[in-house]
Amino acid sequence: MTMTESHRPDTGLVSLTLADDVRDDLQQLLLHLPDPARDVDDAMTRTHQIFARLPLAVLREILDFGRHVDTPAVMMVSNLPTDPELPPTPTDGGSCAGKPTFVAEGVLLGLSGLLGEPVGFVTEKDGRIVHDITPTAAGAATQTSQGSKVFLNFHNDIVHDPGGRYDITNPDFLVLNCLRSDPHEEAETWYADGRDILRVLDEDVIEVLRSPLFQLNAPGGYVRMFAAGKEVYSDPIAIVSGPDHSPEIAVAANGVRCLSSAASEAFDRLQAACRHPDVARVVRLAPGQALLVNNRKGLHARTQFTARYDGRDRWLQRTYIRRSLWNIRGRAAEGSRRVHL
Ligand SMILES: O=C(O)CCC(=O)C(=O)O
Ligand SMILES: [Fe+2]
């Protein structure tokens, strides 16, 4: 197997590109993968063995991404294998029945296993481990992953826990693997690293963001299932915590309540900082590309794009990942990989 490039393109994004022979070798092995939904631990074990064949430098870069504090917060992996035949994009926000091969799922789980353990949330995609992220007509204008007509604001995924703390059960990482681009290739995924955000904000704004003046609304699926659509706010929290050289940052996709006018102002400044040219990392995911996203080190967003609900819409698959399943055991359902949330 030959070496792989590692470089920083203009977007400022760290990017790994697999050599063609590495991609083809992975594809041959992943073509035999049974449907991972039937036995996730079996699929994790098989993809572990397959992804251990990655060239040492690539493997190390991905492992370092997952294990170290001072590594990048987002990383793109390109020239990954794809399924030889791809069914129409689901239109109902659900999963795809009758997909003949599971190469995409294998890529997603293989990469996820290098970062930690994939987990499901009962209120998100029915607790599945592999999420099909597709636009829906009903969700077109919502601040959710089913949206397309609106900019999905900078956020973290599932920063919620019914106990009030947001940082107990939230995923450490997400992985997004692209199966199909949107028809006009407009959709962009944006990422803002907390370290870059703090560099462009004034000290007084950072001080407010570091104060417990914000409440995070629970995710959309959770409030629909458990609160009849009403807000479920966390305890007052600080949006930014931890040392300046490696801050943790927490923003709910489903809304943030600011508890003072200074808090509102600081929150607006934060959203603007995420779009600052020295901060925003922008990627237009194409088939064969996956984005590894740290869900603590920064925030992500998505632009508007065209959706037609005709089977040719944008299609990503997503996992949520914890480094360890141990501290979510209090909310575990059916085995330790599913969380009652
Ligand atoms: O569609 C994207 O590029 C990102 C969507 C998103 O925020 C998510 O799936 O969590
Ligand atoms: Fe998200």
Side-chain angles (χ1 to χ4, degrees):
M1 290 182 184
T2 46
M3 242 317 285
T4 300
E5 295 168 63
S6 170
H7 63 277
R8 229 170 235 275
D10 290 338
T11 56
L13 204 79
V14 178
S15 174
L16 298 172
T17 304
L18 300 191
D20 290 352
D21 61 337
V22 174
R23 176 201 60 202
D24 295 344
D25 184 42
L26 289 182
Q27 191 201 37
Q28 283 312 308
L29 295 164
L30 291 172
L31 279 170
H32 303 290
L33 191 72
D35 183 352
R38 280 197 253 140
D39 184 343
V40 175
D41 285 293
D42 174 72
M44 291 308 294
T45 310
R46 287 173 192 272
T47 57
H48 179 97
Q49 198 170 49
I50 294 168
F51 274 71
R53 300 165 64 95
L54 282 173
L56 196 65
V58 179
L59 194 54
R60 174 168 180 175
E61 197 140 3
I62 299 172
L63 290 169
D64 282 351
F65 176 88
R67 63 192 163 197
H68 285 303
V69 166
D70 61 351
T71 45
V74 62
M75 182 183 279
M76 173 131 107
V77 187
S78 299
N79 208 28
L80 288 157
T82 56
D83 290 285
E85 225 183 284
L86 192 61
T89 303
T91 56
D92 61 356
S95 58
C96 173
K99 191 162 173 284
T101 54
F102 301 97
V103 176
E105 288 80 354
V107 164
L108 184 72
L109 294 177
L111 292 171
S112 301
L114 299 177
L115 306 181
E117 297 293 343
V119 292
F121 293 87
V122 168
T123 53
E124 182 69 25
K125 304 279 180 193
D126 293 326
R128 286 191 294 280
I129 300 296
V130 172
H131 302 164
D132 292 281
I133 303 298
T134 55
T136 65
T142 60
Q143 283 288 317
T144 71
S145 64
Q146 295 185 15
S148 57
K149 283 191 188 342
V150 291
F151 187 90
L152 174 57
N153 294 322
F154 282 92
H155 66 278
N156 305 100
D157 281 20
I158 320 280
V159 272
H160 178 68
D161 186 86
R165 287 271 302 271
Y166 73 87
D167 55 345
I168 303 289
T169 34
N170 55 335
D172 295 312
F173 301 96
L174 47 146
V175 176
L176 299 169
N177 185 33
C178 182
L179 282 69
R180 182 174 279 136
S181 298
D182 52 301
H184 301 310
E185 298 181 14
E186 299 157 313
E188 292 172 344
T189 309
W190 291 31
Y191 191 89
D193 185 317
R195 293 164 285 197
D196 297 332
I197 293 173
L198 294 195
R199 230 171 270 131
V200 301
L201 284 175
D202 294 338
E203 267 311 313
D204 54 333
V205 173
I206 296 173
E207 200 181 309
V208 176
L209 294 171
R210 283 187 170 285
S211 309
L213 291 171
F214 307 89
Q215 289 178 290
L216 307 182
N217 191 13
Y222 184 90
V223 298
R224 271 193 300 281
M225 199 181 282
F226 293 131
K230 291 223 168 60
E231 286 92 352
V232 178
Y233 284 114
S234 69
D235 295 344
I237 59 131
I239 281 181
V240 174
S241 59
D244 283 340
H245 61 76
S246 48
E248 176 158 338
I249 184 154
V251 172
N254 202 25
V256 174
R257 177 151 75 181
C258 301
L259 298 177
S260 72
S261 54
S264 293
E265 168 76 5
F267 187 69
D268 291 346
R269 295 282 189 90
L270 171 73
Q271 288 283 339
C274 291
R275 294 166 180 258
H276 189 289
D278 294 342
V279 176
R281 310 266 191 261
V282 178
V283 44
R284 214 171 278 169
L285 284 172
Q289 292 184 324
L291 201 63
L292 315 181
V293 178
N294 188 304
N295 197 39
R296 296 186 189 277
K297 290 180 178 176
L299 302 173
H300 63 279
R302 190 218 61 234
T303 61
Q304 292 167 246
F305 62 96
T306 302
R308 300 194 182 111
Y309 321 112
D310 60 357
R312 287 175 294 164
D313 282 330
R314 183 170 187 253
W315 184 1
L316 308 181
Q317 287 183 336
R318 179 183 71 190
T319 46
Y320 287 150
I321 300 154
R322 296 278 312 185
R323 287 298 281 177
S324 160
L325 300 178
W326 181 250
N327 50 1
I328 59 172
R329 70 192 183 283
R331 305 221 180 269
E334 314 128 53
S336 49
R337 248 184 227 296
R338 261 183 204 87
V339 183
H340 254 305
L341 199 73

